[in-house]
Amino acid sequence: MIKHNVLVDFKDIHMGNLIKLRVSEKKIGLLRICGFLKCTAEDIEKMYISRSIDSELLLKWSKLLEYDFFRIYSQHIILFAPNNSDQEKEQSKEDTVLPNFRKSLYTREIIDFMLNQYNSGNMSRQDIHKRYNIPKSTFHKWLNKYNSELKISED
């Protein structure tokens, strides 16, 4: 079975649309959703058209639909947060009780997004390097490792 990935616009996130898409994929009925979230069908429809969802509610959706919707926001940060090495050095020295996460963690969704940008002609290797600060050697490895898989799944 070939699975087709829907490209998520990580710059312009519409969480309601993404949730609705996942509900459709999982074929979960409205009654089950309403029972799990303790809300009405009208509330669900409002969520589907909402660009953003309260974090506690998004956590419930993530559990119900078995999908980490928060990761979409993490990918946005990876792609679009400014990369200031001086700022990063200062932040690493800060004392905090919060967990410290690596910014440069590339998920398969990010890799597929970048390869699609390149393969479709929307961006060159240099554009990807300049805009997203992805090392040229890393992108070259992605091309060799994942590009053939990506083309197979599109067929």
Side-chain angles (χ1 to χ4, degrees), residues 47-77:
M47 287 183 233
Y48 287 161
I49 61 172
S50 179
R51 294 187 68 73
S52 63
I53 306 288
D54 174 77
S55 58
E56 191 172 326
L57 193 53
L58 191 59
L59 181 60
K60 290 178 182 178
W61 276 111
S62 294
K63 290 176 182 178
L64 175 66
L65 300 175
E66 300 172 340
Y67 184 85
D68 183 359
F69 288 101
F70 293 97
R71 186 161 289 208
I72 294 168
Y73 290 118
S74 297
Q75 300 311 310
H76 173 90
I77 292 168

Side-chain angles (χ1 to χ4, degrees), residues 118-150:
Y118 175 74
N119 290 332
S120 67
N122 290 337
M123 297 182 87
S124 68
R125 291 180 191 201
Q126 292 165 329
D127 294 335
I128 289 169
H129 173 70
K130 286 179 185 175
R131 183 167 185 186
Y132 301 113
N133 201 28
I134 294 175
K136 293 176 184 176
S137 60
T138 300
F139 189 73
H140 183 74
K141 288 176 189 174
W142 293 350
L143 284 171
N144 290 334
K145 184 173 182 179
Y146 300 110
N147 212 16
S148 60
E149 291 176 27
L150 189 62

